[in-house]
Amino acid sequence: MEHEVFVPVPAERLRAALADPAQVARALPGFQQDAGTEPVAGRLRLRVGGHTITYRGTLRVTAREDGGYAVEGDATEARGSGTVKLALTLGLRETDGASTLRFGGTATADGRIAELPADAVDFAAVRLLDRWAANLGAETAADEPPAAATVFETEIPPPGLAGVDSVNGSADADDVDDTDDVDDTDDVDDVDDIDEVDAVEAVAGFPDPGVPPAEAAHARRTMIGRSAEEVDHSPPRGRYAPVPAPQTVARDNALRWAAPAAALAVASAIVVGRALRRRR
């Protein structure tokens, strides 16, 4: 098997990461270290096709004289008797400020994984190597300290203008030495003298803060001389006052004249009736 993975990390930093077993273990996807064991010893969950197989074993990464690395691993199924043995060579070369990892070697396995299709097994192995290299590069890049700013990137403040310090109220260090001691603050007059400060002059366009608004003055005049009960239970005024009921003066006038008119009509009918009877 041969496979290459591009890692956007300088080769020197990637070599330092490969020399750290704990960092190698953290970058391995699906790996869980057992308590009290070596950094790269524990359980690995491998997804192959629609199946998940859990292995328990160890992994070792050692440097070689030619600048490469030897990757050796052996594991046993956690719920079975199948085994896996891995012997890979890892080459590292620099590519335009980044790195390229080249994997090569062989792997033998039996048990459940041997019963699965070969294409699915190859795809799972390549995906595991890709994710491991990507995690290792991301962790290495995160640990990289930020680059120091050069002379050309350093921000230079603009030159100060004459009189700016006086406008901002700042003073030179020599002027600070000329100030009086803190003990002189005992000579300050009592706080009662603050009442003698002149009244604040009204700013043009704004009312005098000492004079209450007209609405407040009217409300105060209407509230003075009234008890709290009267204020609480008094009906609202102004736009919120209740609307009075309509008056029925016209109806009362009509009823007032209806009774005499009816009596007059009855009397007139009686008189006319008697006059007609006399003629007969």
Side-chain angles (χ1 to χ4, degrees), residues 54 140 201 222-223:
T54 303
T140 304
E201 297 180 0
T222 56
M223 299 289 288

Side-chain angles (χ1 to χ4, degrees), residues 4 9 12-13 25 32 59 62 81 93 97 99 101 142 160 166 168 193 198 205 212 253 278 280:
E4 289 188 357
V9 175
E12 295 299 328
R13 296 195 59 82
Q32 182 179 0
L59 181 68
T62 57
S81 58
R93 71 173 184 270
S99 305
L101 293 176
S166 60
N168 297 332
D193 296 339
D198 297 337
N253 294 335
R278 289 177 183 179
R280 291 178 184 178

Side-chain angles (χ1 to χ4, degrees), residues 31 37-38 40-42 56-60 72-76 84 86:
F31 177 77
T37 59
E38 299 179 1
V40 195
R56 187 186 301 273
T58 59
L59 181 68
R60 295 172 297 276
E72 299 178 354
D74 57 273
T76 305
V84 173
L86 183 68

Side-chain angles (χ1 to χ4, degrees), residues 260-272:
L264 180 61
V266 173
S268 300
I270 294 174
V271 173
V272 172

Side-chain angles (χ1 to χ4, degrees), residues 59-152:
L59 181 68
R60 295 172 297 276
V61 179
T62 57
R64 300 171 53 181
E65 297 181 355
D66 57 357
Y69 295 88
V71 182
E72 299 178 354
D74 57 273
T76 305
E77 292 182 5
R79 298 180 180 179
S81 58
T83 59
V84 173
K85 291 185 178 180
L86 183 68
L88 298 179
T89 58
L90 177 60
L92 178 62
R93 71 173 184 270
E94 187 172 359
T95 307
D96 297 334
S99 305
T100 300
L101 293 176
R102 184 176 183 276
F103 298 92
T106 58
T108 58
D110 57 8
R112 292 179 56 190
I113 196 171
E115 300 174 357
L116 300 178
D119 296 342
V121 175
D122 293 342
F123 178 78
V126 170
R127 183 180 59 182
L128 180 64
L129 294 177
D130 291 342
R131 295 178 59 188
W132 176 74
N135 294 341
L136 188 64
E139 187 174 356
T140 304
D143 296 339
E144 184 177 1
T150 61
V151 177
F152 300 99

Side-chain angles (χ1 to χ4, degrees), residues 6-257:
F6 176 79
V7 182
V9 175
E12 295 299 328
R13 296 195 59 82
L14 197 58
R15 290 182 186 277
L18 290 173
D20 186 5
Q23 194 167 354
V24 172
R26 289 194 302 268
L28 190 61
F31 177 77
Q32 182 179 0
Q33 181 182 357
D34 293 339
T37 59
E38 299 179 1
V40 195
R43 292 179 298 174
L44 176 65
R45 298 184 61 184
L46 182 62
R47 184 75 175 177
V48 181
H51 304 272
T52 300
I53 306 175
T54 303
Y55 290 96
R56 187 186 301 273
T58 59
L59 181 68
R60 295 172 297 276
V61 179
T62 57
R64 300 171 53 181
E65 297 181 355
D66 57 357
Y69 295 88
V71 182
E72 299 178 354
D74 57 273
T76 305
E77 292 182 5
R79 298 180 180 179
S81 58
T83 59
V84 173
K85 291 185 178 180
L86 183 68
L88 298 179
T89 58
L90 177 60
L92 178 62
R93 71 173 184 270
E94 187 172 359
T95 307
D96 297 334
S99 305
T100 300
L101 293 176
R102 184 176 183 276
F103 298 92
T106 58
T108 58
D110 57 8
R112 292 179 56 190
I113 196 171
E115 300 174 357
L116 300 178
D119 296 342
V121 175
D122 293 342
F123 178 78
V126 170
R127 183 180 59 182
L128 180 64
L129 294 177
D130 291 342
R131 295 178 59 188
W132 176 74
N135 294 341
L136 188 64
E139 187 174 356
T140 304
D143 296 339
E144 184 177 1
T150 61
V151 177
F152 300 99
E153 296 176 353
T154 304
E155 183 179 358
I156 302 176
L161 301 178
V164 172
D165 294 340
S166 60
V167 172
N168 297 332
S170 59
D172 297 336
D174 298 338
D175 298 337
V176 176
D177 297 335
D178 296 339
T179 57
D180 299 332
D181 297 334
V182 181
D183 298 335
D184 296 339
T185 56
D186 298 336
D187 299 335
V188 180
D189 297 336
D190 297 337
V191 182
D192 297 337
D193 296 339
I194 299 178
D195 298 334
E196 300 176 1
V197 180
D198 297 337
V200 180
E201 297 180 0
V203 183
F206 294 90
D208 188 357
V211 179
E215 296 81 1
H218 175 72
R220 183 179 180 184
R221 288 194 299 270
T222 56
M223 299 289 288
I224 294 176
R226 304 173 63 185
S227 63
E229 184 177 359
E230 292 176 350
V231 173
D232 294 340
H233 298 282
S234 60
R237 299 181 180 180
R239 57 184 299 185
Y240 300 103
V243 180
Q247 300 180 358
T248 58
V249 178
R251 182 178 301 177
D252 295 342
N253 294 335
L255 293 177
R256 183 182 304 174
W257 293 103

